[in-house]
Amino acid sequence: MEKVHAAIDFLLTQKLLFTAIIIMFIILIRRLILWKIRGDVAFVSEEQRNWMSRTKNGSFALTVLLLFILWQSEINEFALSVTAIAVAIVVASKEIILCFTGSIQRASSRSFRIGDWIEVGKICGEVIEHNMMATVIQEIDLHHGQYDYTGKTATLPNSMFFTYPVKNLNFMKRYVYHDFAIIVPKFVNLYPLVPVMLEKIDSHISYFSDVAKRYNAVIEKHAGVDLPGSEPHIHITSGATGEQVVHFMLFCPTDKATHLEQEIRADFMQLYEETFPKESSE
């Protein structure tokens, strides 16, 4: 027992050594826990990501708490010595403070959680990790209508949450309002093609239309707004130089959106060629 007390007294006098031991011990425990959570799977699930994030945040908070307790007397002395330059420290650490307060704002508003799709500024992606300083997302190409992962990982400082609005796009993980347009350079009457195209689109989406209606109703109830609906929509507008633009909008599974667009484009081009053979051959 005397040896234990002697070892503790020695470590308390050698605080740098004790600090290094504490940090190494917590890092080893954290790596062991993360290894147990991840296992041997190739892809990490959303639940695993949640537990991995909690482990990282918890180990960081525990490290800070233990080091604060260990160095409390030195911190008090240091705080007294820097009172005169407190304003300069605040100005210099403005970004760090904003990151911490941004994290508090995110947690209090519950704007998103791990696994959600979000858009911050021009960056879109799935949240894979968040901590007191930053949020990490897997980037998704939403602006080009592809809904595919780009393979890029973006680390967003939490201070961005005060500069840019955070859009939660989580419902788009399953279904999305996918819109695209086809430009027709010749000025012809395209309205007779609309009912035929709607029939063709209905044949393409028949296998998921019932599920789409239910999911659309769930989103409407959750958001409290009247959404366009799960039915396909077609409308025609004119461009600045006289061309006609045929707009399509579908409520469809996110992973099927690009494939459905290609099928509908092919149907429209074939129907246009059959209806207006002269215009299509010129």
Side-chain angles (χ1 to χ4, degrees):
M1 197 68 178
E2 293 179 358
K3 292 182 179 181
V4 174
H5 286 297
I8 294 174
D9 292 337
F10 174 76
L11 291 175
L12 290 176
T13 55
Q14 302 293 327
K15 291 187 177 182
L16 287 175
L17 177 61
F18 198 13
T19 299
I21 293 174
I22 290 174
I23 293 175
M24 289 178 63
F25 179 76
I26 292 178
I27 289 175
L28 288 174
I29 294 298
R30 188 182 75 163
R31 286 187 177 181
L32 178 62
I33 295 174
L34 292 175
W35 177 72
K36 288 287 187 182
I37 294 173
R38 185 179 181 89
D40 298 328
V41 296
F43 301 100
V44 181
S45 66
E46 183 175 330
E47 185 177 1
Q48 286 175 309
R49 284 177 178 167
N50 276 310
W51 280 108
M52 291 171 73
S53 179
R54 290 167 189 162
T55 301
K56 292 178 181 178
N57 292 335
S59 61
F60 175 75
L62 180 62
T63 303
V64 172
L65 178 62
L66 292 176
L67 294 183
F68 178 80
I69 294 173
L70 179 62
W71 294 89
Q72 185 175 4
S73 58
E74 287 78 3
I75 292 173
N76 289 335
E77 293 176 3
F78 176 76
L80 292 174
S81 65
V82 298
T83 302
I85 57 172
V87 175
I89 292 176
V90 170
V91 172
S93 58
K94 175 185 175 183
E95 196 67 25
I96 296 176
I97 295 172
L98 285 175
C99 287
F100 274 105
T101 52
S103 176
I104 295 172
Q105 186 269 343
R106 176 200 59 77
S108 60
S109 64
R110 298 180 180 179
S111 52
F112 61 86
R113 61 180 182 176
I114 290 178
D116 285 357
W117 285 14
I118 64 171
E119 180 179 355
V120 183
K122 295 183 178 180
I123 303 176
C124 307
E126 180 178 340
V127 180
I128 60 174
E129 183 181 346
H130 57 69
N131 51 47
M132 295 296 291
M133 296 298 295
T135 298
V136 183
I137 66 173
Q138 285 283 357
E139 192 178 48
I140 300 172
D141 185 14
L142 294 183
H143 295 299
H144 298 94
Q146 299 298 316
Y147 315 106
D148 293 326
Y149 292 98
T150 64
K152 302 176 183 177
T153 301
T155 301
L156 311 177
N158 291 336
S159 57
M160 290 183 66
F161 301 152
F162 293 109
T163 308
Y164 301 99
V166 180
K167 300 179 183 179
N168 193 312
L169 312 175
N170 196 40
F171 81 92
M172 293 177 63
K173 288 181 70 173
R174 289 190 59 195
Y175 276 77
V176 65
Y177 283 104
H178 181 64
D179 57 270
F180 60 95
I182 299 176
I183 298 176
V184 179
K186 298 294 183 178
F187 193 85
V188 293
N189 184 10
L190 298 174
Y191 283 95
L193 306 185
V194 172
V196 182
M197 283 303 304
L198 287 174
E199 291 181 4
K200 290 181 177 293
I201 294 174
D202 287 338
S203 66
H204 291 308
I205 68 173
S206 59
Y207 68 96
F208 63 79
S209 58
D210 291 338
V211 179
K213 289 179 182 178
R214 291 196 297 268
Y215 193 69
N216 184 267
V218 170
I219 297 173
E220 284 186 332
K221 184 177 181 181
H222 179 74
V225 295
D226 185 17
L227 297 176
S230 61
E231 301 80 11
H233 297 274
I234 301 176
H235 68 277
I236 302 171
T237 60
S238 298
T241 56
E243 74 276 8
Q244 297 188 91
V245 184
V246 185
H247 301 269
F248 297 85
M249 188 177 71
L250 310 172
F251 186 70
C252 61
T254 305
D255 57 349
K256 300 290 193 301
T258 304
H259 177 69
L260 287 171
E261 177 182 340
Q262 295 304 310
E263 289 185 330
I264 294 169
R265 284 181 180 274
D267 288 341
F268 180 84
M269 291 177 183
Q270 181 180 357
L271 183 62
Y272 180 83
E273 187 177 8
E274 293 173 354
T275 308
F276 308 103
K278 289 184 178 181
E279 285 75 4
S280 60
S281 61
E282 290 180 0

